[in-house]
Amino acid sequence: MPIGKFVEYEDASPEVRAVYDDIMETRKVDWINNFWKALAQDPATLKRTWESIKQVMAPGALDPLTKEMIYVAVSVTNGCEYCINSHIAGARGKGMTDEMLAELIAVIGMANETNALVTGWQVEVDEALRRAAQGGK
Amino acid sequence: MPIGKFVEYEDASPEVRAVYDDIMETRKVDWINNFWKALAQDPATLKRTWESIKQVMAPGALDPLTKEMIYVAVSVTNGCEYCINSHIAGARGKGMTDEMLAELIAVIGMANETNALVTGWQVEVDEALRRAAQGGK
Amino acid sequence: MPIGKFVEYEDASPEVRAVYDDIMETRKVDWINNFWKALAQDPATLKRTWESIKQVMAPGALDPLTKEMIYVAVSVTNGCEYCINSHIAGARGKGMTDEMLAELIAVIGMANETNALVTGWQVEVDEALRRAAQGGK
Amino acid sequence: MPIGKFVEYEDASPEVRAVYDDIMETRKVDWINNFWKALAQDPATLKRTWESIKQVMAPGALDPLTKEMIYVAVSVTNGCEYCINSHIAGARGKGMTDEMLAELIAVIGMANETNALVTGWQVEVDEALRRAAQGGK
Amino acid sequence: MPIGKFVEYEDASPEVRAVYDDIMETRKVDWINNFWKALAQDPATLKRTWESIKQVMAPGALDPLTKEMIYVAVSVTNGCEYCINSHIAGARGKGMTDEMLAELIAVIGMANETNALVTGWQVEVDEALRRAAQGGK
Amino acid sequence: MPIGKFVEYEDASPEVRAVYDDIMETRKVDWINNFWKALAQDPATLKRTWESIKQVMAPGALDPLTKEMIYVAVSVTNGCEYCINSHIAGARGKGMTDEMLAELIAVIGMANETNALVTGWQVEVDEALRRAAQGGK
């Protein structure tokens, strides 16, 4: 059960409504999901978080679908049920097929395994990999 | 410093060498990175892990670059230095530009923030998002 | 659903009852919450954990409300629903207002984001920060 | 070793310099720490993150020292070395004594233990705690 | 609620049925638990994961009960409710008593506490411990 | 680099020395490792933590080697380098062979993978597994 009292559109201050309106317009939906209603208890955080999300998730060097799948990868690793559901929903809305979802989860699983193997054996970064990661040659 | 004694090619058993050879051939490189040398202390895990990675990271419904970026997202969230370096290196080798890397890290950061906000407010999954995540209509 | 069989006051051994009585007296409540009933399956862990909590959460250089908010920060980062609820309840009981809760969650969110950004870019500790952290000059 | 190429003040674009200047003025310091130099590779993220931090960490219902200690709690739980050092440094600069630091770490340790005990026994939230967390009576 | 559509035995392809049959035969049970039905949406991951589990959890230098308890330790630390239940069930089936379970959870709790204390104080590995961990003398 | 100033035996108060002496006597060693020297900055936490460790890690329903391996599993999952080294050292001192270590790390890796797969697919606990976990029939 959520903490506090979520803010419905009809009970929202003009400041909160302005954010809600922008969310609905930007995403072309006609409702507000619980995440924003929770944040609206703290209008400054609502506004800041929405503006950040809008900037970060906009098309750029990475396309929006790839960004949603990266979001899913983080959310699964953190075990955040809400975030897993909302970003898988988001990714599906941007074209993720069942096959892509299955591969996404398989990669997340494998990455969590090899992260643990690396940590267990305390493997040190190869000099060549470090240089390549830095973009050097 | 790594745990145990890593296995160099020249000291490897035929079983381990066969895996090393397949890694180098598949990846078109002429050296073996520390991760595999650590696993080679346990040849069954070396073979199983390599075969799993080969299957999971092969081109499929998702392209190999997207898979590397998903790997980076998990590795950053888990704080695995080796894995961050090796998979950023892998992603760069598959075409990730500096701009893509910057957006990748920005999305990972944002996802970790909103995961925490959701958890802090104990936000419950909206029924509509759940249905959408399941692929229902 | 919980693992095992929780221990109610009326079924408790004298050893467990003594801890339950001390919990209720110290906290000035007339009931025992589920956490302790779970631990009571293992009386040594019950006693040790209660004595540790009593020592750690007592007023000292930090006041009890600050300690409860630190507890919330850890619990949100670990995603422990029970702990989030019980320590937000504890903090409210010690004077945390809705505004303080909102700021607490905002800081937790931001910290999780910048932790990930630091890790993603593999930022090295500045010498000056390290000295300052150590309390040196 | 850090990923990419950090941006020094003398090499920074006017956009990045404006943020650097604001950081130094706001914090009353005459140098820029590595975190910001890493983010400056992506000026949009630099600006957004600084503005978010400035808002979130400003005095409000919680004082700045309490906010720094909450930051430390998250950073320790995530194992982020840079963040632990920089926010312990920040907390010391705002008046945290050695005694307060020792209690802070003790609470973080205890919280991580009881989070695990709760999860291990799969303890369910007591109805009374849930109501209290929600701020109900 | 699970993502996607789980695969029941009667709807399974021959390839998936072959894995289901092997699971039931190896474990001497007459039903398939939800984990495998979820993975069966992606038959390659189902087959690979089952073969890996079969190899890793087989009796070897460690007995199967010890392996199940290690699995519980990881699952509690990650907060995976399904995994905690399924591997405690597995451990009980291999002889874990209530007393052993209580000690297992107590160790997991203590380890999570001291991990945080070590990280909070940024304790450096003693040379002698490092050598001992490596198996040197 | 560690936070604060670690406490050497020769600089220790009688209260801290008493704990140091008990550690050395109980473990039959003639030196104190860094973990305790860090905690000794806060004598109450030093004493409490040592007494807790002594109780939790003593032989009981689980043998000391199994307990050390459980400690390693938690420490790898949390990515605590100090703890990984110190508890692998501890386990080796209690008889863990190279083969056992390799299997231990393999199980930890696999558990982290399947935890993520379960979370990604949001698998619900089977009623039969839940009952078995509770010890019911």
Side-chain angles (χ1 to χ4, degrees):
Chain A
M1 213 177 303
I3 302 291
K5 225 170 131 289
F6 286 19
V7 182
E8 298 297 332
Y9 189 91
E10 44 277 16
D11 307 321
S13 67
E15 182 188 5
V16 165
R17 272 196 192 187
V19 178
Y20 282 5
D21 287 336
D22 191 36
I23 291 171
M24 291 190 287
E25 194 181 308
T26 305
R27 299 196 158 168
K28 303 187 191 330
V29 294
D30 60 359
W31 61 291
I32 293 295
N33 52 302
N34 285 335
F35 176 57
W36 305 111
K37 293 183 194 166
L39 293 192
Q41 298 178 88
D42 174 15
T45 294
L46 173 70
K47 190 171 182 335
R48 175 175 52 77
T49 307
W50 165 242
E51 284 170 4
S52 295
I53 287 271
K54 201 160 84 164
Q55 181 191 94
V56 170
M57 299 304 277
L62 298 178
D63 62 279
L65 171 53
T66 299
K67 290 182 173 185
E68 288 288 356
M69 292 192 296
I70 292 163
Y71 230 103
V72 172
V74 171
S75 303
V76 170
T77 303
N78 282 331
C80 178
E81 182 189 355
Y82 186 92
C83 318
I84 293 166
N85 275 278
S86 64
H87 291 282
I88 287 181
R92 284 199 196 268
K94 292 179 180 66
M96 182 178 68
T97 62
D98 287 347
E99 287 68 31
M100 291 163 81
L101 173 61
E103 292 192 13
L104 170 59
I105 295 178
V107 174
I108 295 168
M110 183 60 45
N112 275 286
E113 178 175 20
T114 59
N115 278 204
L117 294 174
V118 159
T119 303
W121 290 113
Q122 291 284 298
V123 186
E124 292 184 320
V125 186
D126 303 83
E127 212 34 60
L129 286 182
R130 209 185 274 283
R131 274 199 312 276
Q134 286 182 294
K137 66 237 69 153
Chain B
M1 213 177 304
I3 302 291
K5 225 168 130 291
F6 285 19
V7 182
E8 299 296 332
Y9 190 90
E10 45 277 17
D11 307 321
S13 67
E15 183 189 4
V16 165
R17 272 196 192 186
V19 177
Y20 282 5
D21 287 338
D22 192 36
I23 292 171
M24 291 191 285
E25 193 182 308
T26 304
R27 298 195 160 170
K28 305 190 189 326
V29 294
D30 60 359
W31 61 290
I32 292 294
N33 53 302
N34 284 336
F35 175 56
W36 305 111
K37 293 184 194 166
L39 292 193
Q41 298 178 86
D42 174 16
T45 294
L46 172 70
K47 190 171 181 337
R48 175 175 53 76
T49 306
W50 165 242
E51 282 170 3
S52 295
I53 287 271
K54 199 159 87 164
Q55 181 191 94
V56 169
M57 300 302 279
L62 298 178
D63 62 280
L65 171 54
T66 299
K67 290 181 173 185
E68 288 287 357
M69 292 192 296
I70 292 163
Y71 230 103
V72 172
V74 172
S75 303
V76 170
T77 304
N78 282 332
C80 178
E81 181 188 356
Y82 186 93
C83 319
I84 292 166
N85 276 278
S86 64
H87 291 283
I88 287 182
R92 285 199 196 267
K94 292 180 181 66
M96 183 178 68
T97 62
D98 287 346
E99 288 67 31
M100 291 163 81
L101 174 60
E103 292 193 12
L104 169 59
I105 295 178
V107 175
I108 295 169
M110 184 59 46
N112 274 286
E113 177 174 21
T114 58
N115 278 203
L117 294 174
V118 159
T119 303
W121 291 112
Q122 291 283 300
V123 186
E124 292 184 319
V125 186
D126 303 83
E127 211 34 62
L129 286 182
R130 208 184 275 285
R131 272 198 314 275
Q134 287 182 295
K137 66 241 72 160
Chain C
M1 213 178 302
I3 303 290
K5 225 169 133 290
F6 286 19
V7 181
E8 299 297 332
Y9 189 91
E10 44 277 17
D11 308 320
S13 66
E15 182 189 5
V16 165
R17 272 196 193 186
V19 177
Y20 283 5
D21 287 337
D22 192 36
I23 292 171
M24 291 190 287
E25 194 182 308
T26 305
R27 299 196 160 167
K28 303 189 191 327
V29 293
D30 61 358
W31 61 290
I32 293 294
N33 54 302
N34 284 336
F35 175 57
W36 305 111
K37 293 184 194 166
L39 293 193
Q41 298 177 87
D42 174 14
T45 295
L46 173 70
K47 189 170 181 340
R48 175 174 53 75
T49 306
W50 165 242
E51 283 170 4
S52 296
I53 287 271
K54 200 160 85 163
Q55 182 191 92
V56 169
M57 300 303 278
L62 298 178
D63 63 279
L65 171 53
T66 299
K67 290 181 172 185
E68 288 288 356
M69 291 192 297
I70 291 163
Y71 230 104
V72 172
V74 171
S75 303
V76 170
T77 303
N78 282 331
C80 178
E81 182 188 356
Y82 187 92
C83 319
I84 293 166
N85 276 279
S86 63
H87 292 282
I88 287 181
R92 285 198 195 269
K94 293 181 180 64
M96 182 178 69
T97 62
D98 287 348
E99 287 68 31
M100 291 164 82
L101 173 61
E103 292 193 13
L104 168 61
I105 295 178
V107 175
I108 295 169
M110 184 59 45
N112 274 285
E113 178 175 21
T114 58
N115 279 203
L117 294 174
V118 159
T119 304
W121 290 112
Q122 291 284 299
V123 186
E124 292 183 322
V125 186
D126 303 82
E127 211 34 60
L129 287 182
R130 209 185 274 286
R131 274 198 313 274
Q134 286 183 295
K137 64 238 71 159
Chain D
M1 213 177 305
I3 302 291
K5 226 170 130 291
F6 285 18
V7 182
E8 298 296 332
Y9 189 90
E10 44 275 16
D11 308 320
S13 66
E15 182 189 6
V16 165
R17 273 195 192 187
V19 177
Y20 283 5
D21 287 337
D22 192 36
I23 291 171
M24 291 190 287
E25 193 182 306
T26 304
R27 298 194 161 171
K28 305 189 190 327
V29 294
D30 60 359
W31 61 290
I32 293 294
N33 54 301
N34 285 336
F35 175 57
W36 305 111
K37 293 183 194 166
L39 291 193
Q41 298 178 89
D42 173 16
T45 295
L46 173 70
K47 189 171 182 336
R48 175 174 53 76
T49 306
W50 166 242
E51 283 171 3
S52 295
I53 286 270
K54 199 160 84 163
Q55 182 191 94
V56 169
M57 300 303 278
L62 298 178
D63 63 280
L65 171 53
T66 299
K67 289 182 173 185
E68 289 287 356
M69 292 192 296
I70 291 163
Y71 230 103
V72 172
V74 171
S75 303
V76 170
T77 304
N78 282 331
C80 179
E81 182 188 355
Y82 186 92
C83 318
I84 292 166
N85 276 278
S86 63
H87 291 282
I88 287 181
R92 285 199 195 267
K94 293 181 180 65
M96 183 179 68
T97 62
D98 286 349
E99 287 68 32
M100 290 163 82
L101 174 60
E103 292 193 13
L104 169 59
I105 295 178
V107 175
I108 295 169
M110 184 59 45
N112 275 285
E113 178 175 21
T114 59
N115 278 204
L117 294 174
V118 159
T119 303
W121 291 113
Q122 291 284 298
V123 186
E124 292 183 321
V125 186
D126 303 82
E127 211 35 60
L129 287 182
R130 207 185 277 285
R131 273 199 314 274
Q134 288 183 294
K137 68 241 69 161
Chain E
M1 212 176 305
I3 303 290
K5 223 169 134 291
F6 286 18
V7 182
E8 298 297 330
Y9 189 91
E10 44 277 16
D11 308 320
S13 66
E15 182 188 6
V16 165
R17 273 197 192 187
V19 177
Y20 282 5
D21 287 337
D22 192 36
I23 291 171
M24 290 190 287
E25 194 182 307
T26 304
R27 299 195 160 170
K28 303 190 192 327
V29 294
D30 60 359
W31 61 289
I32 292 295
N33 53 302
N34 284 336
F35 176 56
W36 305 111
K37 293 183 193 166
L39 292 193
Q41 298 178 89
D42 175 15
T45 295
L46 173 70
K47 189 171 181 341
R48 175 175 53 77
T49 307
W50 166 242
E51 283 171 4
S52 295
I53 287 271
K54 200 160 85 164
Q55 181 191 94
V56 169
M57 300 303 279
L62 299 178
D63 62 280
L65 171 53
T66 299
K67 290 182 172 185
E68 289 288 355
M69 292 192 296
I70 292 163
Y71 230 103
V72 172
V74 171
S75 303
V76 170
T77 304
N78 282 331
C80 178
E81 181 188 355
Y82 187 91
C83 318
I84 293 167
N85 276 278
S86 64
H87 291 282
I88 288 182
R92 285 198 195 268
K94 293 181 180 63
M96 182 178 69
T97 62
D98 287 347
E99 287 68 30
M100 291 164 80
L101 173 61
E103 292 193 12
L104 169 60
I105 295 177
V107 175
I108 295 169
M110 183 60 44
N112 275 285
E113 178 174 21
T114 59
N115 278 204
L117 294 174
V118 159
T119 303
W121 290 114
Q122 291 283 298
V123 186
E124 292 184 321
V125 185
D126 303 82
E127 212 34 61
L129 286 182
R130 209 185 273 286
R131 274 199 313 276
Q134 287 183 294
K137 68 239 71 156
Chain F
M1 212 177 303
I3 303 291
K5 225 170 131 290
F6 286 18
V7 182
E8 299 296 332
Y9 190 89
E10 44 275 18
D11 308 320
S13 66
E15 182 189 5
V16 165
R17 272 196 192 186
V19 177
Y20 283 4
D21 287 337
D22 192 35
I23 292 171
M24 291 190 287
E25 192 183 308
T26 304
R27 297 194 161 170
K28 304 189 189 327
V29 293
D30 60 0
W31 61 289
I32 292 294
N33 53 302
N34 285 335
F35 176 57
W36 305 111
K37 294 183 194 166
L39 292 193
Q41 298 178 88
D42 174 13
T45 294
L46 173 70
K47 189 171 182 335
R48 175 175 52 77
T49 307
W50 165 243
E51 282 171 4
S52 295
I53 286 271
K54 200 160 84 163
Q55 181 191 94
V56 170
M57 299 303 278
L62 298 178
D63 62 279
L65 172 53
T66 298
K67 290 181 173 186
E68 288 287 356
M69 292 193 296
I70 292 163
Y71 230 103
V72 172
V74 171
S75 303
V76 170
T77 303
N78 282 332
C80 179
E81 181 188 356
Y82 187 91
C83 318
I84 293 167
N85 276 277
S86 65
H87 292 282
I88 287 182
R92 284 198 196 268
K94 293 181 180 63
M96 183 179 68
T97 62
D98 287 347
E99 288 67 32
M100 291 163 82
L101 173 61
E103 292 193 12
L104 169 59
I105 295 178
V107 175
I108 295 169
M110 184 60 44
N112 275 285
E113 177 174 22
T114 59
N115 278 203
L117 294 174
V118 159
T119 304
W121 291 113
Q122 291 284 298
V123 186
E124 292 184 321
V125 186
D126 303 83
E127 212 33 61
L129 287 181
R130 209 184 275 285
R131 274 199 312 276
Q134 286 183 294
K137 66 240 73 160

